[in-house]
Amino acid sequence: MKSKLLIPVLALGVFGIITTEMGIIGVLPQVSDKFGITASDAGWLVGVFALVVAVTGPFTTLFTSGINRKTVLLVAIAVFAVSNLVYATTSSFEVMFAFRIIPAVVHPVFFALALASAVRLVPPEEATTAVTKVFAGVTVGFAFGVPLTSYLAENFTVSTAFVFGAVVNVLAFFGILTLLPSIPVAQRISYGAQVGILRRPRVWLTILSVTFVFAAMFSVYGYFAEYLGGVTGMSGSWISAMLLAFGVVMIFGNFVFGAMLGKNVVRTVVAFPLLYIVVYVVIYLVGPYFAAMTVAVLVWGMVHSGGLVVSQSWMGRDSVDAPEFGNSLFISFSNLGITLGTATGGLFLSHLGTRQLVWAGVLFAALSLAMIIARLSLGRVHNENGAKVPA
């Protein structure tokens, strides 16, 4: 019974972390009012989190690589619970800012270990399914955690919204404490061996493909409301409904892509950027048409969800001998991709107009596909221990 609950508990922890990281987006106006600051100043609470994750992820994972995995997971999720309580109670913006940096440092560690632990807890043939279930915490976080945080802040208080985040993380803490067995590091991989995977050209091609995939995803999704409002002419209430629908179909799409990966990883990875290019072309063509765009948003959400599990599976193939470090690279460079994508999308938006925004996504999807094809051209290679690594 315990083993069946472990994967959902890890997914709950991921849900709590995503709700903490992204939920702040929906409550920035209330945060601005609470601290008497400008919207741009409050926006730093979002930007600093992603930046810290991108910069510190691999180093933090290396630093904790010799510590019992259960202990690290518990400490990381506890930091998120405490941070939410600080958000709910502090009257100092500087304190809140500091407690955006602190959990961002442990964010990549929790993700890396949750994914690696999920794989360890199941037979090899079920590894992809286990990872997909853990990633469901991300999609559910986007679908329900972020909107619910916004709803609580709007209808109760911003403190209530942050207490909700704390409660979710506390539940995950006790779930991990109760259900997850102790996982001491039986054979510690040296820092050199872990960092050594970065000497492989194929790893850098994979890293670039992951970065460009996330840039393709968020260069347009980051301006979701602007596109639906400016091009399709949707009202605020319709945009909110579309955001919710987008998140709900992401949950379904997550498992669709997980099943596809279970059948053939390479074909699914190659297909993903191609699918995204098709989706963006469709969005461009039907953008001015209300009914057609409503349907297109549902397809967009389903394809969007695949970026998470597809990219992680692709990165995992080139880091089989250092899986936790590989996961941390995935998390760091996916966040870098988000930053790159939203910045580029902003340039397209301001210089070319709202409707042309989709071509930023097409550009990055094409770059990702080029990196994937270049990686596949290297074929099967041997790692430093002489073992074959699949292409």
Side-chain angles (χ1 to χ4, degrees):
M1 181 63 180
K2 280 188 174 183
S3 60
K4 291 182 179 180
L5 292 174
L6 280 172
I7 302 298
V9 163
L10 292 173
L12 178 64
V14 169
F15 170 78
I17 286 177
I18 288 297
T19 300
T20 302
E21 178 184 5
M22 297 296 181
I24 192 84
I25 294 172
V27 300
L28 284 180
Q30 292 90 338
V31 170
S32 297
D33 292 341
K34 179 178 179 178
F35 295 111
I37 57 177
T38 65
S40 60
D41 286 340
W44 278 103
L45 295 173
V46 179
V48 73
F49 197 105
L51 181 61
V52 171
V53 169
V55 171
T56 66
F59 303 104
T60 315
T61 304
L62 283 174
F63 178 74
T64 59
S65 61
I67 305 174
N68 188 298
R69 316 328 273 148
K70 179 175 181 177
T71 301
V72 177
L73 285 168
L74 287 171
V75 170
I77 202 71
V79 167
F80 273 84
V82 170
S83 296
N84 274 282
L85 290 175
V86 170
Y87 305 156
T89 57
T90 186
S91 57
S92 167
F93 178 73
E94 289 75 17
V95 170
M96 187 171 186
F97 189 86
F99 276 85
R100 290 295 288 175
I101 294 172
I102 295 169
V105 172
V106 297
H107 172 287
V109 179
F110 186 91
F111 260 87
L113 296 190
L115 293 170
S117 298
V119 171
R120 289 193 188 104
L121 292 168
V122 298
E125 64 273 13
E126 297 178 18
T128 299
T129 302
V131 168
T132 301
K133 289 179 178 178
V134 172
F135 266 123
V138 177
T139 52
V140 174
F142 275 104
F144 298 109
V146 175
L148 184 53
T149 300
S150 179
Y151 174 84
L152 291 172
E154 184 68 29
N155 292 277
F156 296 93
T157 65
V158 68
S159 293
T160 304
F162 292 133
V163 168
F164 163 69
V167 169
V168 171
N169 285 296
V170 167
L171 290 174
F173 176 90
F174 282 106
I176 294 169
L177 180 66
T178 305
L179 300 174
L180 188 68
S182 177
I183 311 177
V185 180
Q187 185 176 0
R188 181 177 178 178
I189 305 172
S190 70
Y191 293 156
Q194 293 182 76
V195 176
I197 69 172
L198 294 175
R199 293 196 295 269
R200 306 170 188 166
R202 68 188 187 280
V203 170
W204 283 105
L205 289 171
T206 299
I207 286 172
L208 285 172
S209 66
V210 168
T211 304
F212 290 143
V213 160
F214 275 82
M217 292 164 62
F218 284 87
S219 57
V220 185
Y221 175 72
Y223 303 95
F224 186 93
E226 285 83 352
Y227 195 88
L228 294 185
V231 177
T232 312
M234 288 188 180
S235 65
S237 58
W238 264 102
I239 291 171
S240 296
M242 287 294 96
L243 276 169
L244 180 60
F246 190 96
V248 171
V249 295
M250 274 184 68
I251 299 172
F252 178 68
N254 181 71
F255 289 99
V256 170
F257 277 95
M260 290 170 64
L261 286 165
K263 292 179 180 179
N264 193 302
V265 172
V266 172
R267 287 180 185 174
T268 305
V269 170
V270 172
F272 181 78
L274 290 172
L275 281 172
Y276 230 127
I277 290 172
V278 172
V279 167
Y280 280 148
V281 171
V282 170
I283 288 172
Y284 178 81
L285 293 174
V286 307
Y289 306 102
F290 195 100
M293 191 60 194
T294 301
V295 176
V297 165
L298 300 179
V299 178
W300 181 11
M302 184 176 295
V303 174
H304 186 87
S305 67
L308 300 166
V309 66
V310 168
S311 297
Q312 192 279 331
S313 296
W314 191 231
M315 188 73 238
R317 290 169 69 85
D318 278 331
S319 57
V320 290
D321 46 353
E324 291 165 1
F325 183 63
N327 284 333
S328 72
L329 290 172
F330 161 72
I331 294 158
S332 288
F333 282 94
S334 61
N335 273 272
L336 182 62
I338 292 171
T339 303
L340 175 63
T342 52
T344 305
L347 290 174
F348 272 64
L349 192 69
S350 59
H351 292 286
L352 300 177
T354 307
R355 194 178 180 191
Q356 309 307 320
L357 180 64
V358 296
W359 302 116
V362 170
L363 170 65
F364 284 121
L367 287 171
S368 175
L369 180 61
M371 295 301 103
I372 291 167
I373 292 172
R375 165 63 188 90
L376 288 173
S377 70
L378 297 180
R380 292 177 180 268
V381 291
H382 290 79
N383 64 22
E384 286 76 2
N385 298 319
K388 271 191 174 182
V389 177

